Amino acid sequence: EHPEFRSFLKLAAERFHVNITTHGEHIDKPLAKFLADNKVDQIHFNYQGSKWHDKIHGIEGSYAAQLNSIKYIKDTDIDFVVGITVAEYNYDDLLDIMTEASDLDASRLRIWESVGHGGKMRGKLKPRDIWTHSTKIAKELGYGFVQSYEPEFEGDVWIPCLAASNF
């Protein structure tokens, strides 16, 4: 959305691997081509699913726009991943959200508990509750590898968060 975004991206792509995290409502076909031409490595779409996206973002039609953006990125060689933020409002809908996300054929599904410890959106959910629930659903959907770097528990890698452990 920044008026100089394309200039910033070109400069960054000259020296760095570029990954973009976005809600994705603004990526049209020409922008997807520009991103690919400038060697963007990955787009991470923050995905809330068909039931929640418009409500959370407060923009009617933003979910449909996100799906169009994903389609345009899929038409390039850019890797794309889907990240799902889990909080109290969507916890009971996680199977539907993860099923929709899985059907998008992203290279990875990421489950985010990124609303912070004790955050009002997370409510009374504990990271272990989110981990257990999302892992169960991931296995039901046929995913064979699930891992966590959540600093509040060790998850399946048996060490704390890599970023927090000086690993």
Side-chain angles (χ1 to χ4, degrees):
E1 293 180 8
H2 192 283
E4 295 296 320
F5 173 76
R6 289 175 186 244
S7 297
F8 296 154
L9 180 73
K10 280 184 172 190
L11 287 171
E14 289 174 9
R15 298 187 63 197
F16 304 103
H17 292 280
V18 177
N19 296 333
I20 297 173
T21 299
T22 180
H23 297 289
E25 292 107 350
H26 304 295
I27 299 174
D28 57 13
K29 196 171 195 169
L31 180 55
K33 182 179 180 340
F34 173 82
L35 297 173
D37 289 346
N38 283 278
K39 299 181 179 32
V40 168
D41 294 304
Q42 184 181 86
I43 306 276
H44 172 115
F45 287 93
N46 181 357
Y47 187 81
Q48 296 297 321
S50 60
K51 179 178 177 179
W52 289 104
H53 191 95
D54 288 5
K55 292 175 189 175
I56 293 302
H57 295 279
I59 303 169
E60 189 173 332
S62 63
Y63 177 69
Q66 182 186 56
L67 292 180
N68 282 332
S69 295
I70 289 171
K71 177 193 173 302
Y72 297 135
I73 293 301
K74 285 173 71 169
D75 289 342
T76 72
D77 290 331
I78 300 172
D79 179 39
F80 86 97
V81 300
V82 173
I84 302 165
T85 302
V86 181
E88 276 189 335
Y89 72 89
N90 67 356
Y91 184 81
D92 291 335
D93 298 314
L94 197 53
L95 173 61
D96 292 337
I97 295 168
M98 288 177 69
T99 299
E100 288 177 8
S102 180
D103 290 345
L104 294 172
D105 293 324
S107 64
R108 282 181 302 290
L109 287 182
R110 294 179 174 153
I111 302 299
W112 294 93
E113 180 287 296
S114 59
V115 294
H117 181 66
K120 70 178 185 176
M121 288 182 75
R122 188 169 103 182
K124 295 177 183 169
L125 288 175
K126 293 183 171 72
R128 188 166 301 279
D129 298 333
I130 294 169
W131 166 257
T132 302
H133 188 52
S134 59
T135 300
K136 178 180 178 271
I137 293 169
K139 288 181 180 175
E140 287 175 16
L141 293 174
Y143 290 92
F145 179 73
V146 180
Q147 73 181 40
S148 173
Y149 298 119
E150 170 59 52
E152 294 186 36
F153 67 98
E154 293 180 353
D156 69 333
V157 293
W158 306 114
I159 60 171
C161 171
L162 293 180
S165 65
N166 297 320
F167 189 67

